[in-house]
Every structure is written in structure tokens, then in C-alpha cells.
């Protein structure tokens, strides 16, 4: 076994594990933020964050379609996009938008 192949395969596994960990933390944070009650300002921040995450979800789905339709046939490396990855990416988009709007509007 070549050291370079071993290192590259372990790097991919570590990156995917890190991504899934960040997705898990993002999903839990998103659920907690949505469950906690708040005043009008928090509701406005949640609504703006939700709008950004819906737009981000549409962009992610379109990019996933473009990737699987046009890019995968021409490359040797393929990543299967599953619903867990989509939920994780959408939760990360929501969390980033929420913290941005919290900082902007002060909550």
C-alpha cells in the first residue's frame, strides 16, 4: 500500500467525519433556537434566518442536481449526496444567518 493513497483516503474520511460533526452541532443548535420562545425581535431574526435558509436550500438542491447531472460523468471522484448532508448544510446556513442577524439587530 502506498503511503500517499493511505493518507488521502484517511484525509477524506476525517474531513467527512468533521463535516458530519459540524452538521450535527448545527442541527441541534437550529432545533434549540427554534424551540426557545422570544420577543418580537427574536421572531423577526428567526423569520429572516428562515428566509435565508430556504434560499440556501434551493441553491444547494440546484447545485446538487448540476453536480450529479453534469459533473459526475466527467470526473473519477463522486460524492453521493444524501438527505443527511442536505439537512446538515441547511442547518449550517440557518445558524450562520441567525448569528449574523443576531449581531446585526442585537438580541
Amino acid at each position: 500500500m502506498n503511503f500517499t493513497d493511505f493518507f488521502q483516503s484517511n484525509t477524506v474520511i476525517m474531513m467527512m467525519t468533521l463535516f458530519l460533526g459540524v452538521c450535527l452541532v448545527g442541527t441541534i443548535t437550529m432545533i434549540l433556537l427554534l424551540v426557545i420562545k422570544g420577543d418580537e425581535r427574536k421572531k423577526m431574526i428567526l423569520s429572516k434566518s428562515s428566509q435565508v435558509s430556504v434560499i440556501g436550500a434551493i441553491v444547494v438542491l440546484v447545485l446538487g442536481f448540476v453536480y450529479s447531472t453534469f459533473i459526475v460523468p466527467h470526473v473519477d471522484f463522486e460524492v453521493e449526496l444524501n438527505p443527511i448532508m442536505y439537512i446538515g448544510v441547511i442547518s449550517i446556513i440557518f445558524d450562520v444567518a441567525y448569528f449574523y442577524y443576531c449581531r446585526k439587530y442585537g438580541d
Side-chain angles (χ1 to χ4, degrees):
M1 175 178 239
N2 190 357
F3 178 73
T4 306
D5 294 336
F6 178 75
F7 181 73
Q8 287 175 348
S9 65
N10 281 344
T11 304
V12 170
I13 291 172
M14 286 188 291
M15 293 299 287
M16 289 303 292
T17 305
L18 179 67
F19 175 73
L20 289 175
V22 170
C23 290
L24 179 67
V25 170
T27 304
I28 291 170
T29 306
M30 180 179 69
I31 291 170
L32 290 176
L33 290 172
L34 291 172
V35 169
I36 297 173
K37 300 286 184 192
D39 57 352
E40 293 83 17
R41 186 174 20 182
K42 179 166 180 173
K43 289 179 184 177
M44 185 214 32
I45 292 170
L46 282 175
S47 69
K48 286 185 176 282
S49 302
S50 299
Q51 289 172 358
V52 169
S53 64
V54 167
I55 293 169
I58 292 170
V59 169
V60 166
L61 288 173
V62 168
L63 289 176
F65 172 76
V66 168
Y67 174 74
S68 64
T69 305
F70 299 111
I71 297 175
V72 168
H74 302 291
V75 295
D76 296 331
F77 182 74
E78 177 183 359
V79 176
E80 285 190 33
L81 303 173
N82 57 24
I84 301 295
M85 293 176 80
Y86 285 123
I87 290 172
V89 170
I90 292 167
S91 69
I92 291 169
I93 292 169
F94 177 84
D95 291 337
V96 168
Y98 180 81
F99 292 123
Y100 170 76
Y101 285 119
C102 273
R103 187 172 177 102
K104 183 176 180 180
Y105 296 115
D107 186 35

